[in-house]
Amino acid sequence: MYWRGRSLGGVRSGDPTRIAYLDNAPTTPMRPEAVAPMLPFLADRFRNPSGAHAESPAARQAIDEARDVVAECLGCQPGEIVFTGGGTEADNLALFGAVARRGGIPVCTAVEHHAVLHSVQELRGRVVGVDADGVVDLDALVGALAGGTVSVVSVMLANNEVGTIQPLAEVARIMREHAPNAVLHTDAVQAFPWLDVASLAWPAELVAVSAHKFGGPKGVGALVVRSGTPVAPIIHGGGQERDRRSGTHNVAGIVAMAAAMQATLRDRSSEVARVGALRDRLADGLLSSVPGAHETGDRSKKIAGNCHVRFDGIESEALLVLLDEAGVCASAGSACASGAMEPSQVLRAMGFTVAQSLSSVRLSLGVTTTEADIDLALKAIPDAVAALRARAS
Ligand code: PLP
């Protein structure tokens, strides 16, 4: 629970209206455990880790230590970590880098984040459909692998809009049979706060994560590149990250990401239980108190923090405005393209109509979500839906 005008540092000013931040899928507030170790590298310890000054080795050492932590949290060797400028870059490096080295074309699911989907489209790859819960259609995947030209398959571990978890082990089994020379990439950006990525992503040669989804800073992420997986750099320059990603290291960001990962792993099982119960209370409460409310997808196949619902006859854009006024931060199942609201490609791929897609909202919970946030949402959302329906009648 936050208050309007109150900074994350706890300085209270302005309107004391409470805010329920239920928009953790786009970004999360930074964990204090990540802020503290970051600060010295923004101040006195600002040196370039590749520099020749006496202080540079300290920055290098900080990166080495962070690399060890990140590798352990992701279940790989330190040398298999490539630090990037976030999840989008990690996904782009995986796809463009793999295709540049191996030739051929990529395949992905229709519910991937645009960082993957647009890369696959740019590389003239194939897109595989999903079922009504957003789970990849494995028969369609077999079909897409035909012809022997596929060199990389990208299937996200958990979806950013509806939270569906994909059967990665099954995908890997199918690849072994139908495209044994292709590599598997998984976008684990939304999965990391909730799932044991180290064990679930083991079949993937390439695994992308992003710090700001689990209490780290924006603009830093990592790609696991398993040893023996050739990936060409997409950013050229000074040859950092063993020539896989050039550019001066974001030392503060990398150190903070490692700290946020450690804290996430420490709390993950208890947070999954706590937040999952809050999500269930929210979803069940909305379904029982709002006529014409429908939950998206099968909850048992979703990450704990995702609550995705639609309300018959309601435009989510208008609903979000009323919710914002009531202090509830959420997102719509739509994206703004050239000023017009476009229905989400994820919901359309799951078989929803344009109208259904445009009446959907995503409430994404996180480690800062409290019972009071859910109380506020369970009051504000039914009120806002009723107000919109009254206006329309
Ligand atoms: N992949 C998924 C599934 C995401 O949800 C996001 C961000 O929303 C990204 C990739 C992009 O990550 P970043 O914001 O770090 O570029």
Side-chain angles (χ1 to χ4, degrees), residues 25-26 85-89 91 113 115-116 156 158-160 187-190 209-213 219-220:
T88 300
E89 187 193 318
D91 286 335
H113 187 272
V116 168
M156 68 201 322
N159 181 261
N160 45 301
D187 175 334
V189 167
Q190 291 291 334
V209 291
S210 172
H212 72 109
K213 310 292 185 171
V220 58

Side-chain angles (χ1 to χ4, degrees), residues 294-351:
H294 311 272
E295 187 169 8
T296 313
D298 176 344
R299 210 186 292 174
S300 70
K301 297 179 185 163
K302 289 157 72 120
I303 48 174
N306 181 283
C307 174
H308 198 283
V309 280
R310 73 186 151 80
F311 303 104
D312 290 342
I314 294 295
E315 278 184 13
S316 50
E317 209 185 340
L319 179 59
L320 290 184
V321 172
L322 290 191
L323 292 184
D324 197 36
E325 283 168 9
V328 176
C329 300
S331 300
S334 51
C336 190
S338 342
M341 290 312 275
E342 295 283 340
S344 128
Q345 106 273 357
V346 172
L347 297 175
R348 297 288 285 138
M350 289 168 67

Side-chain angles (χ1 to χ4, degrees), residues 46-393:
F46 66 91
R47 301 307 166 100
N48 184 343
S50 308
H53 305 160
E55 299 287 332
S56 294
R60 267 202 296 281
Q61 189 185 339
I63 292 177
D64 289 346
E65 287 170 8
R67 194 185 304 280
D68 289 347
V69 169
V70 170
E72 201 184 327
C73 293
L74 293 175
C76 66
Q77 295 302 312
E80 296 175 323
I81 295 292
V82 179
F83 289 122
T84 67
T88 300
E89 187 193 318
D91 286 335
N92 274 257
L93 174 58
L95 289 159
F96 285 94
V99 169
R101 279 282 185 265
R102 309 171 74 86
I105 56 164
V107 163
C108 74
T109 80
V111 293
E112 298 298 316
H113 187 272
H114 285 155
V116 168
L117 192 63
H118 288 173
S119 298
V120 167
Q121 286 163 346
E122 187 69 25
L123 288 160
R124 309 222 180 290
R126 298 178 186 149
V127 178
V128 173
V130 295
D131 68 14
D133 292 323
V135 178
V136 57
D137 177 340
L138 295 174
D139 291 334
L141 176 63
V142 170
L145 296 180
T149 53
V150 175
S151 53
V152 52
V153 174
S154 186
V155 176
M156 68 201 322
L157 196 45
N159 181 261
N160 45 301
E161 277 186 48
V162 297
T164 306
I165 301 165
Q166 299 291 350
L168 220 54
E170 273 295 283
V171 169
R173 187 188 58 72
I174 286 171
M175 287 174 63
R176 275 195 298 277
E177 201 176 321
H178 297 274
N181 296 323
V183 293
L184 177 59
H185 165 248
T186 191
D187 175 334
V189 167
Q190 291 291 334
F192 191 81
W194 312 110
L195 303 177
D196 181 2
V197 171
S199 64
L200 290 173
W202 69 265
E205 284 89 356
L206 302 162
V207 183
V209 291
S210 172
H212 72 109
K213 310 292 185 171
F214 52 86
K218 293 165 186 58
V220 58
L223 181 69
V224 175
V225 181
R226 300 233 194 259
S227 140
T229 309
V231 169
I234 56 171
I235 296 178
H236 301 271
Q240 288 88 344
E241 293 297 284
R242 296 210 209 150
D243 249 345
R244 294 169 298 185
R245 198 279 188 181
S246 286
T248 302
H249 285 99
N250 174 0
V251 186
I254 289 168
V255 166
M257 174 165 69
M261 269 195 168
Q262 258 178 333
T264 300
L265 238 69
R266 182 195 64 206
D267 301 343
R268 193 152 56 195
S269 57
S270 57
E271 280 303 296
V272 166
R274 187 188 72 84
V275 175
L278 290 175
R279 185 274 311 272
D280 290 347
R281 182 157 90 81
L282 176 60
D284 292 338
L286 293 174
L287 295 176
S288 63
S289 66
V290 184
H294 311 272
E295 187 169 8
T296 313
D298 176 344
R299 210 186 292 174
S300 70
K301 297 179 185 163
K302 289 157 72 120
I303 48 174
N306 181 283
C307 174
H308 198 283
V309 280
R310 73 186 151 80
F311 303 104
D312 290 342
I314 294 295
E315 278 184 13
S316 50
E317 209 185 340
L319 179 59
L320 290 184
V321 172
L322 290 191
L323 292 184
D324 197 36
E325 283 168 9
V328 176
C329 300
S331 300
S334 51
C336 190
S338 342
M341 290 312 275
E342 295 283 340
S344 128
Q345 106 273 357
V346 172
L347 297 175
R348 297 288 285 138
M350 289 168 67
F352 289 95
T353 64
V354 170
Q356 287 171 331
S357 306
L358 293 176
S359 63
S360 299
V361 291
R362 174 188 61 191
L363 301 144
S364 46
L365 289 64
V367 295
T368 57
T369 306
T370 62
E371 294 282 357
D373 293 328
I374 305 305
D375 293 341
L376 183 55
L378 284 175
K379 169 89 180 78
I381 297 172
D383 285 355
V385 171
L388 289 173
R389 285 185 176 148
R391 247 187 237 174
S393 63

